[in-house]
Amino acid sequence: MTPQLISTEAIYTLHKHGVFSDLDIKFAEFVRRFAASGDDTESLFLATALLSRAVDKSHICLDIGGLVGTTFPDWTREGQVVTVPAGAGRPVYQLPATDLWLSQLQGHRGVVSDSIDGRTPLVLHEDRLYLHRYRRYEQEVAGRLRQLAATEPATVPDSSWLRDALARVFPQQDLPLPPNWQKIAALAAVRSCLTVISGGPGTGKTSAVARLLSLLEEHHQHRQQGAASEASLRVLLAAPTGKAAARLNESIDQAVAAERVTEDGAPNPLYIDMPPEVRAAIHVRAGTIHRMLGTTPKSIRCRHDSTNPLDADVVIIDEASMIPLPLMHRVLEALPEGAPLILLGDMNQLTSVEPGFVLGDICRAAAAAGRTTGFIDACRELAEEPIEPSGAGLEPLPLADACIQLTYSWRFPPDSPVGEISAAVNTAADTAAADAILQRLTELTDTPADSGQAQVTYRQIETPSLRTGSKLPDSDLRDLLLARLEPYLAASTPDEALAAFGKFRILCALNRGAFGVYELNSLAEAILSGEHESDRAAVEAGAGGRLLARVRQTFYEHRPIIVTRNHYGLGLFNGDIGVVMSAASAAAGGAGDEAESEIGLRAYFPGTERDPGLRDFQPELLPPHETAFAMTVHKSQGSQFEEVLLVLPGTPSPVVTKELLYTGITRVSRAVHIWSAESTLRQAIITPTQRDTGLRDELLEK
């Protein structure tokens, strides 16, 4: 039967079922009230409700053109529906014809215009409908990025100096996949005010940046010679989360401090050949993007913007895939004129939680355009790295020169289990590819590969519940938790506990549900405290006699926690990991008398640049936080663990995509264990994240 054409009444029905939120409906009603009286407002009401819903799902716009011939809603992608009347089924409606719908929207000039100059709440550009501010963000971000890509930095090294410096900092080596894209990225960064370095884990993004920093600092000191006062090169490093910033600091410190040879006398591949005074000058510290910009609580404004730009000669931002469009707009507003912006990230990772797909749009636009002749010549003559013309037949653009894709992973070579599976997930497009990956996962589980490589195992689970009639391997979960967390439970000081806890993590796709973070955290607590149905004697033996001392309190000895909301006063930020231990234990290096009481417990967090020592807080004063035995894959971005248990839902979900699967698999250095229903894993492999934006097209505009 042909679905009925959607109507205002149908929208209210879908609202009752949870497809539209209260905000979607209220906003649509608000816009409709401002439409000219007498106009047909049903199409406007529908478009506005759908747009509000799209932005809530992290889209930038409503792609009306992409809705041609579709019905609404697609219940397979709705996830958990709030309520559907028993026996009533799930209603599906036909959307209006696109041309007619667009024509009707164009008639509402009081609330819809074709540009941001119209100052209407909605902007219709071609067949995409935007909230006014998001269309402005998109236009201004695209314009600024195009400008940066075509602009030289305030100072550019002369050719002879640059050629010699590149050859020294990036010495000739045998590469599995030439040319040396790290070297080419450094060349791009000294020629343009925009550089985007994309690549998976272990491809050398931060190594390239460390070498680039040595080049920039050396050139800066070369220019400063003879000056009355030699000012330092002002470099700002930032990342979306505190954890990602800490890892960036760690990686750059390791590269800068690397000796020429390793302890066994072999050449050290991390070593950077630079003058001692340059090495001594590189002591930059990364922080969060929000701290860099000077965001303040309960305000959309930042201390640094176009009227008060950042005090920097160079701005470098890691984990750029996590940056939503509004935040990128703020960064670009605050960027000083002539200062290069260098973005690092992995376009195949999960996108930002908030609206936008900025890194992906930049990389896809660059891939569509061709590199300029001038850049190709510079690669050959200055970097001594010949490259081929690129692009999909479009006219060459400076943006293509600015985007460098690192393809070879030193951490996960193509023949390693993680490298093989993550690459296959990225390229899988149909069920045949998914079947091949599932078969390969089974083979890797049955016959582990070289022990020197990070392993991948797969275990099929089929159950809606962990506790009742569960097919989840509880005994295996118990054994895995005890084996991996025994050093954590045995830690006698906060420093030891934080170091041990960072080696293993349970990662989930969702917060709620039988396979979500909350359930897995509860289950982990029950197992590790001996309160689960598992054999307590086996638990005690596996934990070396050490169990969580839970007395059903909110806080207990060795409770790991993750902060979920920024607290600028305490210097704690979303994603920060800490551990609760008794003050007596921390002072004496062992369990204190108050270990089983909330009295005397403190929450300990790693130090920061401003406060480098171990920090401790009264637990009751902490910002919102959660137990952290399990966390979402989203929150794991910017982190790396030795081993991960990746638990996916028992049924397919629109949240579980190939990007989520790829991100979870690549968080490890030693092993990842995938526990999932086959149907969920199969669907994730072939389901890319969908984000409706017009940024890619805007970037390709002249």
Side-chain angles (χ1 to χ4, degrees), residues 32-54:
R32 183 171 59 180
R33 283 199 299 272
F34 281 85
S37 59
D39 286 352
D40 174 16
T41 58
E42 189 162 89
S43 61
L44 176 65
F45 184 74
L46 169 64
T48 308
L50 286 172
L51 173 59
S52 175
R53 179 179 182 273

Side-chain angles (χ1 to χ4, degrees), residues 165-179:
L166 283 170
R168 173 169 41 81
V169 174
F170 295 90
Q172 196 71 28
Q173 55 181 314
D174 292 329
L175 297 172
L177 294 173

Side-chain angles (χ1 to χ4, degrees), residues 107-121:
H108 293 288
R109 288 299 177 185
V111 290
V112 181
S113 59
D114 57 4
S115 75
I116 58 175
D117 297 332
R119 299 187 180 278
T120 56

Side-chain angles (χ1 to χ4, degrees), residues 399-531:
L399 182 69
D401 301 342
C403 293
I404 307 299
Q405 181 73 33
L406 305 181
T407 56
Y408 186 83
S409 176
W410 300 92
R411 186 183 307 163
F412 306 129
D415 61 346
S416 70
V418 170
E420 178 186 352
I421 296 300
S422 60
V425 168
N426 275 339
T427 58
D430 53 33
T431 55
D435 289 341
I437 292 173
L438 287 168
Q439 176 61 35
R440 184 59 179 145
L441 284 171
T442 302
E443 294 169 357
L444 290 170
T445 303
D446 294 340
T447 309
D450 181 358
S451 60
Q453 298 177 328
Q455 304 296 304
V456 182
T457 67
Y458 166 53
R459 181 146 192 173
Q460 184 175 332
I461 52 175
E462 298 278 0
T463 175
S465 171
L466 291 175
R467 297 183 181 277
T468 306
S470 173
K471 295 180 183 178
L472 186 88
D474 280 2
S475 61
D476 287 353
L477 179 61
R478 178 198 66 198
D479 294 343
L480 183 63
L481 288 176
L482 295 176
R484 301 300 176 259
L485 293 177
E486 194 276 334
Y488 170 68
L489 297 175
S492 59
T493 67
D495 280 320
E496 290 177 3
L498 287 168
F501 185 69
K503 294 182 178 181
F504 173 78
R505 201 62 43 88
I506 302 172
L507 299 183
C508 305
L510 308 171
N511 278 312
R512 302 185 184 278
F515 298 97
V517 167
Y518 303 144
E519 182 72 14
L520 266 294
N521 270 323
S522 177
L523 187 59
E525 287 179 319
I527 289 174
L528 295 174
S529 63
E531 297 176 4

Side-chain angles (χ1 to χ4, degrees), residues 26 109 125 134 181 190 200 209 217 229 280 299 302 351 357 365 369 379 382 386 409 556-557 594-595 620:
K26 293 298 183 184
R109 288 299 177 185
H125 177 68
Y134 280 108
W181 287 108
V190 298
V209 166
E217 178 62 40
S229 60
S299 173
C302 300
T351 55
F357 187 30
C379 288
L382 300 179
S409 176
Y556 54 85
E557 185 82 12
E594 298 169 315
E620 291 78 9

Side-chain angles (χ1 to χ4, degrees), residues 311-344:
D311 183 23
D313 297 312
V314 182
V315 177
I316 301 172
I317 300 180
D318 197 11
E319 297 293 345
S321 65
M322 300 169 66
I323 303 178
L325 182 67
L327 183 57
M328 182 60 77
H329 186 267
R330 293 182 184 182
V331 169
L332 293 173
E333 271 196 326
L335 188 70
E337 288 299 324
L341 173 64
I342 301 168
L343 301 176
L344 313 176

Side-chain angles (χ1 to χ4, degrees), residues 504-635:
F504 173 78
R505 201 62 43 88
I506 302 172
L507 299 183
C508 305
L510 308 171
N511 278 312
R512 302 185 184 278
F515 298 97
V517 167
Y518 303 144
E519 182 72 14
L520 266 294
N521 270 323
S522 177
L523 187 59
E525 287 179 319
I527 289 174
L528 295 174
S529 63
E531 297 176 4
H532 190 255
E533 304 87 74
S534 302
D535 181 10
R536 183 181 177 89
V539 173
E540 289 180 336
R546 303 176 183 89
L547 296 177
L548 289 179
R550 294 184 68 206
V551 196
R552 302 192 182 282
Q553 305 137 311
T554 301
F555 299 103
Y556 54 85
E557 185 82 12
H558 279 81
R559 181 193 174 196
I561 53 178
I562 180 170
V563 174
T564 58
R565 187 181 302 168
N566 295 340
H567 191 302
Y568 293 89
L570 295 179
L572 292 174
F573 299 93
N574 185 17
D576 286 355
I577 297 287
V579 60
V580 175
M581 294 184 73
S582 67
S585 174
D593 294 336
E594 298 169 315
E596 296 189 3
S597 167
E598 290 197 20
I599 302 174
L601 290 175
R602 305 287 289 179
Y604 294 89
F605 288 83
T608 64
E609 178 187 0
R610 296 184 179 183
D611 188 6
L614 191 68
R615 299 175 295 156
D616 67 292
F617 304 90
Q618 189 70 25
E620 291 78 9
L621 299 181
L622 293 174
H625 56 276
E626 300 169 353
T627 302
F629 290 112
M631 62 195 299
T632 61
V633 176
H634 272 92
K635 289 186 178 178

